[in-house]
Amino acid sequence: MVMGKETCLEIANRIINEALKLGATQAEARVMSFTSYLTRFANSIIHQNVGETNVTLTLRFILGKRISVVSSNETGLEAIRKLAEKGFKTAKVQEENPEFVSLPEPEPIPELPGLYIKETAECTPLMRAEMVKELIDEAHSLSPKVDSVAGALSTASYELAVANSLGISAYTMSTVASLNTNVISKDNGVEGFGYAADVSRNVKEINPREVGKEAAERSVKSLWAKKAEPGEYEVILEPYAVSTALLYTGYVGLNAQAVQDGTSFMLDLMNKEAFNRQLTIWDDGRDLNGLAFPFDFEGVPKKKVVMIENGVPKAVVYDSYTAHKEGKKSTGHAGRFGPIPAHMFMKPGDATKDEMIKETKRGLLVTRFHYVRTVHPRKLVLTGMTRDGTWLIENGEIKYPVKNLRFTESMLRTYANIEMIGKTVKRTRIGRWFGQGSIVVPALKISKFTFTGTTEY
């Protein structure tokens, strides 16, 4: 279902007008529409094919310095009136926020090509089933030890319109296709596990055979894993693991809200030589190498922000609220709950994975992290588990797979201990930002990384 620009903005402006009639000093409306389809598979067969269509209206009602945020899934005139009334009643009982200044004012939003791909929006269940079959067949063809293949293929189309009473009027359409798989191999009752994924605006750019092959190879190679003792190791982090580390780095520390709340590591390290000089991290919502998007949840155009440059922390991202508190302008990073760096990149280096392995005396090759949680935000200490393929490296050679380990480590220390950076990058999806966020990163070789526990699998 495509509502179209005219309809979406008409609904948004209707919401604003109803809020202003009730005495709002300012008002902001978002209209988010999506249609998504999912083909899920397990035990090497498709077991679910579902679709969902939804529309969400969100009103930010400003009454002086009292603010409410309310939402609805109904688009009729009476429902919009009730939404405005709910926003008014809720705002009246809020405490004043003395730090609120204003909603953002309009800025030109340059067009971004290629966000909406017709083939993705019109991808049928049969097309998805054929792609899943290719993945499953490729995984099983790798080895008779491949026992079962599971995962999901989703295709979705999105519309987002943002308007406010100061004149912002923004709209865009986009599509996303996402494929992930877990492969289980078995040998005499022993199991091995492998993972792979891909994401693109264009479903035809996803190669299911390559995804299936990648996961199956990891799965077979992880059979007969041995126990590795906890301790400090050299590590090579595959892009999947690096992506998770960077996701938490951005959400926990590279945003103005965390700085203003006193929980960001940037308070201690801003403009200091804190990390390896090879490390450069930025956010750029207009870079088509990620899942580019032209504006944020306030209708402010996205701007490139270099957050860490040559190992030196330089900047954080802002929405209008956090920017006004410091007399600055929004960088176009408003999310649902504050500023978010939702399109992050890490500068690649010049190393191959084979070169990283050869330079490792005793370490671990880690595919990805799982069940990660923040232990200490200001020191950026995270804890979590390895998953879907971990191997011991000795004297420049992969020796054997090891059982999963728990890590507890400061990512600040990790970034300081970077020894090598991969020359190729991988794009992964951030699912929390209306399906539009992405991270593009290489592999990393780290000289010291702490593992604090082991598992039985």
Side-chain angles (χ1 to χ4, degrees), residues 315-346:
V316 295
V317 300
Y318 289 83
D319 60 5
S320 67
Y321 176 73
T322 54
H324 281 137
K325 288 172 71 173
E326 298 181 27
K328 298 180 178 180
K329 291 189 67 174
S330 170
T331 59
H333 288 84
R336 292 179 180 176
F337 308 108
I340 299 173
H343 298 87
M344 288 185 285
F345 294 80
M346 182 181 291

Side-chain angles (χ1 to χ4, degrees), residues 181-183 193-197 214-219 221-222 235-245 353 364-370 385-393 398 401-402 404-405 407 426 428 441-444 451:
T181 187
N182 289 84
V183 175
F193 305 91
Y195 172 85
E214 180 185 345
E217 286 181 342
R218 286 199 176 98
S219 176
K221 291 178 180 178
S222 67
V235 294
I236 298 171
L237 302 179
E238 295 271 21
Y240 298 113
V242 178
S243 176
T244 301
K353 186 165 75 173
L364 296 171
L365 171 62
V366 176
T367 299
R368 70 181 184 125
F369 293 142
H370 168 66
M385 309 292 293
T386 67
R387 188 168 183 173
D388 298 318
T390 307
W391 293 268
L392 180 72
I393 303 170
I398 294 178
V402 298
N404 289 310
L405 298 101
F407 71 90
K426 176 76 177 179
T428 59
V441 294
L444 296 178
F451 292 92

Side-chain angles (χ1 to χ4, degrees), residues 68-86:
S68 68
V69 179
V70 293
S71 62
S72 172
N73 295 101
E74 298 183 69
T75 59
L77 181 58
E78 185 59 30
I80 289 174
R81 286 173 179 163
K82 289 181 179 179
L83 179 67
E85 289 172 0
K86 183 179 179 181

Side-chain angles (χ1 to χ4, degrees), residues 211-438:
V211 175
K213 179 182 178 182
E214 180 185 345
E217 286 181 342
R218 286 199 176 98
S219 176
V220 173
K221 291 178 180 178
S222 67
L223 284 165
W224 297 100
K226 301 178 182 180
K227 185 177 180 180
E229 292 300 320
E232 189 174 84
Y233 289 84
E234 296 175 72
V235 294
I236 298 171
L237 302 179
E238 295 271 21
Y240 298 113
V242 178
S243 176
T244 301
L246 186 54
L247 171 68
Y248 278 84
T249 302
Y251 278 33
V252 173
L254 294 175
N255 66 85
Q257 189 67 60
V259 172
Q260 293 168 5
D261 289 345
T263 60
S264 171
F265 64 87
M266 298 292 273
L267 289 162
D268 305 310
L269 301 179
M270 187 74 81
N271 295 318
K272 296 179 181 178
E273 294 183 2
F275 309 126
N276 186 291
R277 288 187 56 82
Q278 298 179 75
L279 183 66
T280 295
I281 296 170
W282 68 95
D283 190 280
D284 188 358
R286 300 191 60 81
D287 190 331
L288 295 174
N289 290 306
L291 297 180
F293 208 76
F295 55 85
D296 68 4
F297 268 19
E298 294 183 313
V300 176
K302 289 196 156 291
K303 301 172 180 65
K304 181 178 180 179
V305 178
V306 179
M307 299 176 290
I308 298 172
E309 185 174 21
N310 299 327
V312 179
K314 294 282 190 180
V316 295
V317 300
Y318 289 83
D319 60 5
S320 67
Y321 176 73
T322 54
H324 281 137
K325 288 172 71 173
E326 298 181 27
K328 298 180 178 180
K329 291 189 67 174
S330 170
T331 59
H333 288 84
R336 292 179 180 176
F337 308 108
I340 299 173
H343 298 87
M344 288 185 285
F345 294 80
M346 182 181 291
K347 183 180 177 181
D350 56 7
T352 66
K353 186 165 75 173
D354 286 343
E355 289 170 343
M356 291 182 182
I357 293 170
K358 288 179 181 179
E359 293 297 320
T360 301
K361 185 175 181 180
R362 186 173 185 275
L364 296 171
L365 171 62
V366 176
T367 299
R368 70 181 184 125
F369 293 142
H370 168 66
Y371 204 62
V372 176
R373 294 294 182 268
T374 304
V375 176
H376 194 304
R378 185 114 174 203
K379 295 180 180 178
L380 200 56
V381 177
L382 305 180
T383 189
M385 309 292 293
T386 67
R387 188 168 183 173
D388 298 318
T390 307
W391 293 268
L392 180 72
I393 303 170
E394 287 184 341
N395 299 318
E397 294 182 357
I398 294 178
K399 289 298 182 181
Y400 49 79
V402 298
K403 295 180 179 181
N404 289 310
L405 298 101
R406 170 169 292 280
F407 71 90
T408 304
E409 182 61 274
S410 166
M411 294 303 105
L412 306 183
R413 181 173 180 259
T414 298
Y415 296 143
N417 288 329
I418 290 174
E419 287 189 333
M420 303 172 76
I421 298 180
K423 64 195 304 183
T424 60
V425 295
K426 176 76 177 179
R427 177 174 58 202
T428 59
R429 178 180 179 181
I430 303 175
R432 301 177 185 178
W433 196 81
F434 192 46
Q436 307 296 316
S438 60

Side-chain angles (χ1 to χ4, degrees), residues 133-175:
K133 184 178 185 301
E134 288 182 29
L135 185 154
I136 292 172
D137 289 348
E138 183 68 24
H140 279 285
S141 71
L142 184 77
S143 169
K145 295 178 182 179
V146 171
D147 180 72
S148 61
V149 184
L153 170 60
S154 66
T155 54
S157 57
Y158 300 89
E159 292 178 277
L160 175 61
V162 183
N164 72 21
S165 55
L166 300 182
I168 280 181
S169 182
Y171 170 87
T172 194
M173 295 174 63
S174 63
T175 55

